[in-house]
Amino acid sequence: MTDFPKSAALMQRGTDFLGCEHAILCGAMSWVSERNLVSAISNAGGFGVIACGAMTPELLDGEIAATRALTDKPFGVNLITMHPQLFDLIDVCKKHGVGHVVLAGGIPPKGSVEAIKAFGAKVIVFAPTLALAKKLLRSGGDALVIEGMEAGGHIGPVATSVLAQEFLPELSKDHVVFVAGGIGRGEAIAGYLEMGACGVQLGTRFACATESIAHPEFKKAFFRAKARDAETSVQVDPRLPVIPVRALRNKGTEEFTRKQIQVAKLLDDGAVDMLEAQLQIEHFWAGALRRAVIDGDVENGSLMAGQSVGMVTKEEPVADIMVQLMQECEAALTRR
């Protein structure tokens, strides 16, 4: 018998799909969503997701094995679609029998969805527009995450509340749909469940959990921040399409502007093609994130955070965060 009957009933399709107790995914945060946080979220009844990011296949291989050593609960792997070794990474997921693969960062390249489904895994996709969402679901996507601009990291231009109103009435009856972006409390989860979502995805709320390996200085920056401090990056050159990133403003934000100018010049000079230019930007973020998350350089590193950062005020165990979210969600549904 669940302690959260109303929430569990609305999350049923999501929990059945994920194989966990609560349909709460942890957003894949590079350098943060690794074995310790991922296993803690899965052990607490949620669904942890390893952020592969710029990992090599060898590193991902070790990370999956290490996560398996810490939990016997289901967890997933997030792969960036533009990764030059995407299919090798898919093979690593196959080797370990990963049950769910999240494809993020762009339209999945030809054959990638089929390669994942061939070994029995479920494919979770992102889509910024309803038309693309329908296409990806028709093309083999098993579930969809709709993520609004309030989220941390790479974002689109539309708010979560608007996307939910646009997507859920069209898709929630026949598809498993999760909502992400700016969610920090259970009352918001309740609202999206009532609109038809099967569950939610949160990143920022878990970034400073006790089990997160993020540097103490990184966590302190989150505790000090308010919603308005999480700003989106500026695209310098329209010829270089760079997905905006939401992060806490610091010197690293200015460094990204300089990096864009440098890469745009390389593109103009024919020294790199568009894919290589985009990869250089991705590698910039991987390095900048590492400086902040691992080294604690909160001045020059990237402090990717969603607008829900203002609700992150102290370090708490994942299990406590999960219970709080579910209690708030259940209370909100009971009041209705």
Side-chain angles (χ1 to χ4, degrees), residues 23-327:
I24 296 178
L25 298 91
C26 182
M29 301 171 282
S30 292
W31 302 107
V32 178
S33 299
E34 49 73 71
R35 65 192 71 175
N36 294 285
L37 184 61
V38 170
S39 61
I41 288 168
S42 291
N43 287 335
F47 192 80
V49 180
I50 294 173
C52 177
M55 282 185 192
T56 62
E58 292 75 23
L59 285 174
L60 179 62
D61 186 28
E63 199 60 44
I64 295 173
T67 305
R68 278 263 163 78
L70 296 172
T71 185
D72 59 358
K73 306 291 186 184
F75 62 88
V77 174
N78 179 294
L79 302 180
I80 304 300
T81 56
M82 69 174 69
H83 196 296
Q85 293 179 284
L86 177 62
F87 285 87
D88 294 328
L89 296 169
I90 290 172
D91 284 341
V92 172
C93 292
K94 177 182 178 179
K95 170 187 170 183
H96 289 278
V98 171
H100 299 73
V101 175
V102 184
L103 293 176
I107 297 174
K110 185 176 180 180
S112 58
V113 171
E114 293 82 356
I116 295 166
K117 295 175 76 74
F119 64 89
K122 301 291 187 184
V123 177
I124 303 174
V125 295
F126 285 80
T129 67
L130 183 58
L132 181 57
K134 290 179 176 179
K135 180 180 178 180
L136 291 176
L137 290 167
R138 283 196 308 269
S139 302
D142 297 296
L144 174 75
V145 178
I146 55 175
E147 183 176 68
M149 66 179 296
E150 301 94 324
H154 295 82
I155 57 168
V158 183
T160 306
S161 58
V162 175
L163 290 177
Q165 292 175 79
E166 184 183 4
F167 283 54
L168 290 173
E170 289 272 344
L171 301 176
S172 62
K173 181 181 177 183
D174 300 315
H175 301 283
V176 174
V177 184
F178 301 97
V179 175
I183 301 172
R185 290 182 56 88
E187 293 88 350
I189 297 174
Y192 290 125
L193 291 176
E194 288 190 319
M195 289 175 71
C198 297
V200 294
Q201 175 182 286
L202 289 77
T204 302
R205 188 71 177 83
F206 291 114
C208 297
T210 306
E211 295 88 347
S212 165
I213 65 165
H215 195 281
E217 292 302 317
F218 180 90
K219 293 182 180 182
K220 287 177 188 175
F222 271 49
F223 301 153
R224 291 192 297 265
K226 303 301 180 189
R228 69 184 60 218
D229 297 324
E231 301 179 357
T232 55
S233 60
V234 177
Q235 180 174 304
V236 172
D237 191 327
R239 294 168 300 172
L240 180 62
V242 175
I243 301 172
V245 167
R246 186 177 298 283
L248 303 182
R249 173 167 284 280
N250 63 0
K251 290 179 183 175
T253 311
E254 299 163 16
E255 177 61 29
F256 177 55
T257 301
R258 288 192 289 273
K259 179 66 177 179
Q260 286 187 74
I261 295 170
Q262 176 195 341
V263 173
K265 186 175 187 310
L266 291 173
L267 197 61
D268 286 344
D269 294 344
V272 297
D273 60 16
M274 184 59 74
L275 179 60
E276 174 59 27
Q278 290 176 315
L279 283 172
Q280 285 201 22
I281 297 296
E282 282 301 309
H283 287 142
F284 167 87
W285 283 123
L289 267 170
R290 191 186 195 287
R291 286 197 294 277
V293 175
I294 305 299
D295 301 335
D297 184 354
V298 296
E299 284 301 311
N300 301 295
S302 175
L303 297 166
M304 289 191 188
Q307 290 184 321
S308 60
V309 69
M311 299 173 224
V312 181
T313 57
K314 61 183 178 181
E315 193 174 65
E316 301 170 274
V318 163
D320 289 358
I321 297 171
M322 193 70 69
V323 168
Q324 288 169 26
L325 292 170
M326 292 304 297
Q327 286 177 339

Side-chain angles (χ1 to χ4, degrees), residues 8 216 330:
E330 189 69 14

